[in-house]
PDB file of all heavy atoms in Angstrom:
ATOM      1  N   VAL A  38      59.415  10.303 -90.743  1.00 97.00           N
ATOM      2  CA  VAL A  38      60.203  11.376 -91.349  1.00 97.00           C
ATOM      3  C   VAL A  38      59.988  11.390 -92.857  1.00 97.00           C
ATOM      4  O   VAL A  38      59.984  10.336 -93.498  1.00 97.00           O
ATOM      5  CB  VAL A  38      61.708  11.172 -91.034  1.00 97.00           C
ATOM      6  CG1 VAL A  38      62.557  12.246 -91.689  1.00 97.00           C
ATOM      7  CG2 VAL A  38      61.937  11.122 -89.529  1.00 97.00           C
ATOM      8  N   GLU A  39      59.827  12.580 -93.382  1.00 97.00           N
ATOM      9  CA  GLU A  39      59.764  12.753 -94.830  1.00 97.00           C
ATOM     10  C   GLU A  39      61.070  13.405 -95.266  1.00 97.00           C
ATOM     11  O   GLU A  39      61.378  14.527 -94.862  1.00 97.00           O
ATOM     12  CB  GLU A  39      58.587  13.652 -95.217  1.00 97.00           C
ATOM     13  CG  GLU A  39      58.506  13.898 -96.708  1.00 97.00           C
ATOM     14  CD  GLU A  39      57.378  14.848 -97.080  1.00 97.00           C
ATOM     15  OE1 GLU A  39      57.099  15.775 -96.300  1.00 97.00           O
ATOM     16  OE2 GLU A  39      56.795  14.653 -98.152  1.00 97.00           O
ATOM     17  N   THR A  40      61.838  12.679 -96.078  1.00 97.00           N
ATOM     18  CA  THR A  40      63.071  13.283 -96.578  1.00 97.00           C
ATOM     19  C   THR A  40      62.725  14.240 -97.709  1.00 97.00           C
ATOM     20  O   THR A  40      61.738  14.055 -98.425  1.00 97.00           O
ATOM     21  CB  THR A  40      64.071  12.213 -97.073  1.00 97.00           C
ATOM     22  OG1 THR A  40      63.461  11.413 -98.085  1.00 97.00           O
ATOM     23  CG2 THR A  40      64.535  11.332 -95.931  1.00 97.00           C
ATOM     24  N   LEU A  41      63.527  15.272 -97.832  1.00 96.00           N
ATOM     25  CA  LEU A  41      63.310  16.231 -98.902  1.00 96.00           C
ATOM     26  C   LEU A  41      63.660  15.573-100.238  1.00 96.00           C
ATOM     27  O   LEU A  41      64.410  14.592-100.288  1.00 96.00           O
ATOM     28  CB  LEU A  41      64.146  17.483 -98.661  1.00 96.00           C
ATOM     29  CG  LEU A  41      63.831  18.216 -97.342  1.00 96.00           C
ATOM     30  CD1 LEU A  41      64.706  19.448 -97.198  1.00 96.00           C
ATOM     31  CD2 LEU A  41      62.361  18.580 -97.258  1.00 96.00           C
ATOM     32  N   SER A  42      63.150  16.099-101.306  1.00 94.00           N
ATOM     33  CA  SER A  42      63.310  15.511-102.627  1.00 94.00           C
ATOM     34  C   SER A  42      64.776  15.207-102.944  1.00 94.00           C
ATOM     35  O   SER A  42      65.628  16.093-102.885  1.00 94.00           O
ATOM     36  CB  SER A  42      62.736  16.451-103.687  1.00 94.00           C
ATOM     37  OG  SER A  42      62.865  15.873-104.967  1.00 94.00           O
ATOM     38  N   GLY A  43      65.063  13.947-103.218  1.00 95.00           N
ATOM     39  CA  GLY A  43      66.404  13.527-103.603  1.00 95.00           C
ATOM     40  C   GLY A  43      67.403  13.421-102.460  1.00 95.00           C
ATOM     41  O   GLY A  43      68.585  13.183-102.696  1.00 95.00           O
ATOM     42  N   GLU A  44      66.944  13.551-101.203  1.00 97.00           N
ATOM     43  CA  GLU A  44      67.870  13.601-100.071  1.00 97.00           C
ATOM     44  C   GLU A  44      67.844  12.370 -99.156  1.00 97.00           C
ATOM     45  O   GLU A  44      68.523  12.356 -98.136  1.00 97.00           O
ATOM     46  CB  GLU A  44      67.610  14.851 -99.221  1.00 97.00           C
ATOM     47  CG  GLU A  44      67.833  16.147 -99.956  1.00 97.00           C
ATOM     48  CD  GLU A  44      69.291  16.387-100.346  1.00 97.00           C
ATOM     49  OE1 GLU A  44      70.177  15.583 -99.987  1.00 97.00           O
ATOM     50  OE2 GLU A  44      69.540  17.394-101.027  1.00 97.00           O
ATOM     51  N   GLN A  45      67.090  11.328 -99.509  1.00 97.00           N
ATOM     52  CA  GLN A  45      67.004  10.183 -98.600  1.00 97.00           C
ATOM     53  C   GLN A  45      68.372   9.557 -98.328  1.00 97.00           C
ATOM     54  O   GLN A  45      68.714   9.256 -97.188  1.00 97.00           O
ATOM     55  CB  GLN A  45      66.036   9.120 -99.116  1.00 97.00           C
ATOM     56  CG  GLN A  45      65.803   8.023 -98.080  1.00 97.00           C
ATOM     57  CD  GLN A  45      64.956   6.891 -98.580  1.00 97.00           C
ATOM     58  OE1 GLN A  45      65.358   6.192 -99.513  1.00 97.00           O
ATOM     59  NE2 GLN A  45      63.801   6.702 -97.970  1.00 97.00           N
ATOM     60  N   GLU A  46      69.154   9.358 -99.353  1.00 97.00           N
ATOM     61  CA  GLU A  46      70.466   8.713 -99.169  1.00 97.00           C
ATOM     62  C   GLU A  46      71.347   9.537 -98.235  1.00 97.00           C
ATOM     63  O   GLU A  46      71.979   8.997 -97.331  1.00 97.00           O
ATOM     64  CB  GLU A  46      71.137   8.508-100.534  1.00 97.00           C
ATOM     65  CG  GLU A  46      72.407   7.679-100.472  1.00 97.00           C
ATOM     66  CD  GLU A  46      73.659   8.520-100.240  1.00 97.00           C
ATOM     67  OE1 GLU A  46      73.679   9.675-100.675  1.00 97.00           O
ATOM     68  OE2 GLU A  46      74.593   8.003 -99.604  1.00 97.00           O
ATOM     69  N   ARG A  47      71.401  10.840 -98.434  1.00 98.00           N
ATOM     70  CA  ARG A  47      72.206  11.688 -97.545  1.00 98.00           C
ATOM     71  C   ARG A  47      71.636  11.701 -96.129  1.00 98.00           C
ATOM     72  O   ARG A  47      72.386  11.706 -95.160  1.00 98.00           O
ATOM     73  CB  ARG A  47      72.304  13.117 -98.085  1.00 98.00           C
ATOM     74  CG  ARG A  47      73.333  13.248 -99.180  1.00 98.00           C
ATOM     75  CD  ARG A  47      73.764  14.662 -99.358  1.00 98.00           C
ATOM     76  NE  ARG A  47      72.894  15.356-100.300  1.00 98.00           N
ATOM     77  CZ  ARG A  47      73.275  16.397-101.020  1.00 98.00           C
ATOM     78  NH1 ARG A  47      74.489  16.884-100.894  1.00 98.00           N
ATOM     79  NH2 ARG A  47      72.458  16.960-101.861  1.00 98.00           N
ATOM     80  N   TYR A  48      70.309  11.709 -96.003  1.00 98.00           N
ATOM     81  CA  TYR A  48      69.693  11.683 -94.674  1.00 98.00           C
ATOM     82  C   TYR A  48      70.054  10.387 -93.942  1.00 98.00           C
ATOM     83  O   TYR A  48      70.379  10.411 -92.750  1.00 98.00           O
ATOM     84  CB  TYR A  48      68.170  11.823 -94.785  1.00 98.00           C
ATOM     85  CG  TYR A  48      67.482  11.799 -93.446  1.00 98.00           C
ATOM     86  CD1 TYR A  48      67.582  12.878 -92.576  1.00 98.00           C
ATOM     87  CD2 TYR A  48      66.742  10.698 -93.040  1.00 98.00           C
ATOM     88  CE1 TYR A  48      66.965  12.852 -91.332  1.00 98.00           C
ATOM     89  CE2 TYR A  48      66.120  10.670 -91.802  1.00 98.00           C
ATOM     90  CZ  TYR A  48      66.235  11.750 -90.958  1.00 98.00           C
ATOM     91  OH  TYR A  48      65.632  11.713 -89.716  1.00 98.00           O
ATOM     92  N   LEU A  49      70.046   9.278 -94.637  1.00 98.00           N
ATOM     93  CA  LEU A  49      70.412   8.009 -94.012  1.00 98.00           C
ATOM     94  C   LEU A  49      71.885   7.990 -93.622  1.00 98.00           C
ATOM     95  O   LEU A  49      72.255   7.443 -92.578  1.00 98.00           O
ATOM     96  CB  LEU A  49      70.050   6.841 -94.922  1.00 98.00           C
ATOM     97  CG  LEU A  49      68.539   6.656 -95.155  1.00 98.00           C
ATOM     98  CD1 LEU A  49      68.295   5.561 -96.184  1.00 98.00           C
ATOM     99  CD2 LEU A  49      67.808   6.382 -93.859  1.00 98.00           C
ATOM    100  N   ARG A  50      72.741   8.601 -94.446  1.00 98.00           N
ATOM    101  CA  ARG A  50      74.156   8.722 -94.063  1.00 98.00           C
ATOM    102  C   ARG A  50      74.297   9.596 -92.824  1.00 98.00           C
ATOM    103  O   ARG A  50      75.080   9.296 -91.920  1.00 98.00           O
ATOM    104  CB  ARG A  50      74.992   9.308 -95.209  1.00 98.00           C
ATOM    105  CG  ARG A  50      75.417   8.263 -96.222  1.00 98.00           C
ATOM    106  CD  ARG A  50      76.503   8.784 -97.153  1.00 98.00           C
ATOM    107  NE  ARG A  50      75.954   9.823 -98.039  1.00 98.00           N
ATOM    108  CZ  ARG A  50      76.631  10.853 -98.496  1.00 98.00           C
ATOM    109  NH1 ARG A  50      77.892  11.036 -98.159  1.00 98.00           N
ATOM    110  NH2 ARG A  50      76.069  11.725 -99.304  1.00 98.00           N
ATOM    111  N   PHE A  51      73.544  10.695 -92.783  1.00 98.00           N
ATOM    112  CA  PHE A  51      73.558  11.579 -91.604  1.00 98.00           C
ATOM    113  C   PHE A  51      73.152  10.784 -90.356  1.00 98.00           C
ATOM    114  O   PHE A  51      73.793  10.886 -89.310  1.00 98.00           O
ATOM    115  CB  PHE A  51      72.617  12.775 -91.803  1.00 98.00           C
ATOM    116  CG  PHE A  51      72.563  13.664 -90.603  1.00 98.00           C
ATOM    117  CD1 PHE A  51      73.480  14.687 -90.456  1.00 98.00           C
ATOM    118  CD2 PHE A  51      71.614  13.468 -89.617  1.00 98.00           C
ATOM    119  CE1 PHE A  51      73.463  15.502 -89.326  1.00 98.00           C
ATOM    120  CE2 PHE A  51      71.583  14.271 -88.486  1.00 98.00           C
ATOM    121  CZ  PHE A  51      72.506  15.291 -88.346  1.00 98.00           C
ATOM    122  N   ASN A  52      72.100   9.978 -90.469  1.00 97.00           N
ATOM    123  CA  ASN A  52      71.667   9.171 -89.326  1.00 97.00           C
ATOM    124  C   ASN A  52      72.732   8.167 -88.902  1.00 97.00           C
ATOM    125  O   ASN A  52      72.935   7.938 -87.715  1.00 97.00           O
ATOM    126  CB  ASN A  52      70.358   8.449 -89.641  1.00 97.00           C
ATOM    127  CG  ASN A  52      69.175   9.355 -89.472  1.00 97.00           C
ATOM    128  OD1 ASN A  52      69.289  10.464 -88.953  1.00 97.00           O
ATOM    129  ND2 ASN A  52      68.021   8.910 -89.913  1.00 97.00           N
ATOM    130  N   ALA A  53      73.401   7.559 -89.880  1.00 97.00           N
ATOM    131  CA  ALA A  53      74.454   6.595 -89.551  1.00 97.00           C
ATOM    132  C   ALA A  53      75.587   7.260 -88.772  1.00 97.00           C
ATOM    133  O   ALA A  53      76.197   6.647 -87.900  1.00 97.00           O
ATOM    134  CB  ALA A  53      74.988   5.949 -90.826  1.00 97.00           C
ATOM    135  N   LEU A  54      75.837   8.521 -89.062  1.00 96.00           N
ATOM    136  CA  LEU A  54      76.919   9.251 -88.390  1.00 96.00           C
ATOM    137  C   LEU A  54      76.496   9.880 -87.068  1.00 96.00           C
ATOM    138  O   LEU A  54      77.353  10.165 -86.223  1.00 96.00           O
ATOM    139  CB  LEU A  54      77.432  10.372 -89.309  1.00 96.00           C
ATOM    140  CG  LEU A  54      78.123   9.931 -90.587  1.00 96.00           C
ATOM    141  CD1 LEU A  54      78.349  11.137 -91.503  1.00 96.00           C
ATOM    142  CD2 LEU A  54      79.443   9.245 -90.257  1.00 96.00           C
ATOM    143  N   ASN A  55      75.210  10.115 -86.860  1.00 96.00           N
ATOM    144  CA  ASN A  55      74.745  10.864 -85.696  1.00 96.00           C
ATOM    145  C   ASN A  55      73.674  10.142 -84.879  1.00 96.00           C
ATOM    146  O   ASN A  55      73.857   9.916 -83.683  1.00 96.00           O
ATOM    147  CB  ASN A  55      74.196  12.235 -86.146  1.00 96.00           C
ATOM    148  CG  ASN A  55      75.281  13.096 -86.732  1.00 96.00           C
ATOM    149  OD1 ASN A  55      76.056  13.707 -86.030  1.00 96.00           O
ATOM    150  ND2 ASN A  55      75.350  13.139 -88.070  1.00 96.00           N
ATOM    151  N   TRP A  56      72.563   9.803 -85.503  1.00 96.00           N
ATOM    152  CA  TRP A  56      71.444   9.201 -84.787  1.00 96.00           C
ATOM    153  C   TRP A  56      71.830   7.826 -84.226  1.00 96.00           C
ATOM    154  O   TRP A  56      71.557   7.528 -83.062  1.00 96.00           O
ATOM    155  CB  TRP A  56      70.236   9.088 -85.732  1.00 96.00           C
ATOM    156  CG  TRP A  56      68.946   8.704 -85.070  1.00 96.00           C
ATOM    157  CD1 TRP A  56      68.050   9.539 -84.467  1.00 96.00           C
ATOM    158  CD2 TRP A  56      68.403   7.385 -84.951  1.00 96.00           C
ATOM    159  NE1 TRP A  56      66.987   8.829 -83.989  1.00 96.00           N
ATOM    160  CE2 TRP A  56      67.179   7.499 -84.276  1.00 96.00           C
ATOM    161  CE3 TRP A  56      68.832   6.127 -85.349  1.00 96.00           C
ATOM    162  CZ2 TRP A  56      66.371   6.405 -83.988  1.00 96.00           C
ATOM    163  CZ3 TRP A  56      68.032   5.030 -85.068  1.00 96.00           C
ATOM    164  CH2 TRP A  56      66.825   5.183 -84.388  1.00 96.00           C
ATOM    165  N   VAL A  57      72.451   6.993 -85.046  1.00 96.00           N
ATOM    166  CA  VAL A  57      72.829   5.648 -84.600  1.00 96.00           C
ATOM    167  C   VAL A  57      73.829   5.698 -83.441  1.00 96.00           C
ATOM    168  O   VAL A  57      73.605   5.044 -82.415  1.00 96.00           O
ATOM    169  CB  VAL A  57      73.348   4.788 -85.779  1.00 96.00           C
ATOM    170  CG1 VAL A  57      73.985   3.494 -85.284  1.00 96.00           C
ATOM    171  CG2 VAL A  57      72.212   4.495 -86.757  1.00 96.00           C
TER     172      VAL A  57
END
Side-chain angles (χ1 to χ4, degrees):
V38 178
E39 178 183 35
T40 57
L41 300 180
S42 181
E44 298 294 356
Q45 188 185 64
E46 188 270 330
R47 280 200 272 206
Y48 180 72
L49 294 174
R50 277 194 291 148
F51 178 87
N52 279 350
L54 294 170
N55 295 280
W56 190 86
V57 169

